[in-house]
Amino acid sequence: QLQLVESGGGLVQAGGSLRLSCAASGRTFSRYAMGWFRQAPGKEREFVAAINWSGGITYYTDSVKGRFTISRDNAKNTVSLQMNSLKPEDTAVYYCAADPTPYRILSDYVVPADFGSWGQGTQVTVSS
């Protein structure tokens, strides 16, 4: 099972940018799809972005398309989320997660149940 540690969260004004990173250890990172999810207070955890094992396929929820970019570096066992044009509604705890199944192609509808390993989360707060 992969161990995941997120970093890069913080407080930013609306319109600003943040870059989240997730460092992985414990399994062969390059075999597994990775995802970012977020959970705002009082709301369920929701999908934000995902990337397949090779980095060749990416997935985004509609609300972040064109603003967020997910990427991975299999040599460094990291996955990142570049967040631009941030909005107050992006405020949440952001979690990194790993697919438990190697080389799986995710469906177009990604849900938290698809992922088996989770980081502790990093807070992102966007002020208006």
Side-chain angles (χ1 to χ4, degrees):
Q1 189 170 358
L2 276 172
Q3 286 76 51
L4 305 172
V5 179
E6 301 98 335
S7 61
L11 173 64
V12 64
Q13 289 188 333
S17 298
L18 283 174
R19 185 177 181 86
L20 305 183
S21 294
C22 174
S25 62
R27 286 186 301 179
T28 305
F29 173 78
S30 61
R31 297 177 182 175
Y32 301 94
M34 298 294 296
W36 286 96
F37 294 79
R38 64 188 180 188
Q39 188 165 18
K43 295 188 177 181
E44 293 187 351
R45 191 169 298 188
E46 65 172 358
F47 168 68
V48 176
I51 189 166
N52 80 321
W53 59 274
S54 70
I57 305 173
T58 56
Y59 312 77
Y60 297 94
T61 192
D62 286 346
S63 63
V64 308
K65 286 180 180 177
R67 301 189 298 123
F68 290 11
T69 303
I70 188 171
S71 61
R72 67 188 296 159
D73 185 336
N74 285 344
K76 296 182 178 180
N77 285 7
T78 59
V79 59
S80 298
L81 185 68
Q82 178 66 44
M83 305 186 295
N84 299 328
S85 301
L86 283 162
K87 304 176 181 180
E89 52 263 42
D90 295 318
T91 295
V93 177
Y94 283 70
Y95 297 91
C96 172
D99 186 346
T101 304
Y103 304 120
R104 182 165 64 146
I105 300 297
L106 300 174
S107 71
D108 289 338
Y109 184 67
V110 181
V111 295
D114 291 336
F115 291 76
S117 298
W118 294 84
Q120 82 288 350
T122 186
Q123 177 70 47
V124 172
T125 303
V126 184
S127 62
S128 58

